[in-house]
Amino acid sequence: MDRRSFLRNSALGGTAAAATSLAAPAIAQGKEVLTMVTTWPRGLAGVWDSVERFSNNVADITDGSLTIDAKGAGELVGALEVFDAVTAGQADMYHGADYYFVGQHPAFAYFAAVPFGMTAPETMVWYYGKGGKALHHELGEIFGLTSFLAGQTGAQGGGWFRKEVASVDDFQGLKFRMPGLGGQALAKLGTSVQVLPGGEIYQALSTGALDGTEWIGPWSDEKLGLQEVCGHYYPAGFHEPGAALSIAVNSERFNGLSKAHQRAIEVAAADAHQHNYALFMSNNAPALTRLLNAGVQEHEFTDDVWDAFGQASLEVLNGFTDDEIFAKIHESAQSAMRETAGWAVRTDSVYTAQRTRVLSQM
């Protein structure tokens, strides 16, 4: 698809920055540097680890001939400005969660997370084995981006609340932070949805600008201090069952790299994707134990609330299926999820349930 034609004809195109010619590549003594902007403050637990893992991988694989100069949110551009900065050539690449950019195109959500979508293993099957990566590239190229998954948080928590959620009615008028299509689903329940980058969440809760929030999971949430301002936590959520993180390189810049450097970026991103998943999974359970021991109250949403989440999510997703590339990506992801889950529920789900039952008797 021709990018200019897409942006001219799409109602979403008005928010996408037109690509401009890139500044001369940063090359010194035969070494090339890519400037990366990110949606994360420097050092933010888990997500910044993915930035560092990817950057270190690139330097190691290329023996230092290609390096990444990673900038935290606000150091060069704001957290939610990274997409436009890279498409405009003001930076070479970004690292972030692509659902922040559903305003540019709603299909970007599939390369982070969609409500009632894929778990982390299901995402990996789709992306690497069933065409997801090619679709990521196809969508990115409309905007002059070459994209790869480069992080994975696993299932994200349902969120932090000042008061226990007793029914669907409790979402009416609630000031809650949730980006992406999950946030759009909550809005259908009457929630006043806010889209804030991670570095702004704590202050918004402290001042009362928010009544609650989701962030990532117990480990990252504890590091952010959310337990200091909200006492009720829901570990299971509908909105991000397996949230991926991405890097996206300005395509003109990427195509100007050597094949070896292009391959280094691809391989480094894939390694960061799987390593980040292990990092979150290994830290979440101990963090949850600490939070509960400190007095945080743990809850589960009722079936009625889950049903409302599901209905609202279906309305949001179906609302974009008249867009050709959204429909293509949606069907690809749904098909892969159905196939993968069809096997997993007969194997992994049965095994883990039986393992829990058997070991509890020993």
Side-chain angles (χ1 to χ4, degrees), residues 15-239:
T15 61
T20 62
S21 58
L22 287 166
I27 302 174
Q29 297 179 346
K31 296 182 179 180
E32 195 158 6
V33 180
L34 296 177
T35 299
M36 173 194 281
V37 290
T38 71
T39 58
W40 327 114
R42 186 176 294 273
L44 202 61
V47 289
W48 191 261
D49 291 273
S50 177
V51 171
E52 291 187 331
R53 178 81 179 189
F54 169 76
S55 301
N56 291 337
N57 283 343
V58 169
D60 290 346
I61 293 170
T62 65
D63 199 22
S65 63
L66 178 63
T67 57
I68 308 297
D69 180 16
K71 307 290 188 182
E75 293 178 17
L76 189 59
V77 298
L80 303 184
E81 298 169 359
V82 301
F83 186 101
D84 288 344
V86 175
T87 58
Q90 297 169 350
D92 297 316
M93 63 192 306
Y94 72 71
H95 186 291
D98 271 357
Y99 56 39
Y100 285 132
F101 313 125
V102 294
Q104 280 81 359
H105 198 289
F108 276 111
Y110 275 99
F111 303 99
V114 298
F116 285 87
M118 294 177 285
T119 64
E122 289 168 343
T123 296
M124 293 179 183
V125 170
W126 174 60
Y127 197 78
Y128 298 113
K130 292 185 177 292
K133 182 194 287 187
L135 290 170
H136 201 186
H137 290 180
E138 182 178 344
L139 177 62
E141 283 296 336
I142 296 171
F143 299 88
L145 299 172
T146 302
S147 305
F148 301 95
L149 295 191
Q152 173 61 254
T153 72
Q156 297 204 4
W160 294 85
F161 298 80
R162 297 188 189 280
K163 300 178 180 179
E164 183 178 356
V165 175
S167 71
V168 177
D169 292 340
D170 290 332
F171 286 96
Q172 188 73 36
L174 190 76
K175 294 175 292 186
F176 197 83
R177 182 265 181 195
M178 182 180 286
L181 302 187
Q184 294 185 26
L186 270 192
K188 288 184 174 292
L189 303 183
T191 305
S192 175
V193 175
Q194 312 293 318
V195 179
L196 298 176
E200 299 178 17
I201 295 173
Y202 183 92
Q203 182 179 2
L205 285 167
S206 299
T207 62
L210 288 177
D211 299 317
T213 187
E214 63 81 42
W215 175 226
I216 298 179
W219 176 47
S220 293
D221 295 8
E222 178 191 36
K223 294 290 187 181
L224 207 59
L226 300 184
Q227 71 280 5
E228 300 171 7
V229 283
C230 287
H232 298 271
Y233 182 61
Y234 289 73
F238 76 100
H239 59 300

Side-chain angles (χ1 to χ4, degrees), residues 340-352:
T340 305
W343 172 246
V345 296
R346 292 173 171 84
T347 53
D348 294 19
S349 296
V350 173
Y351 165 71
T352 54

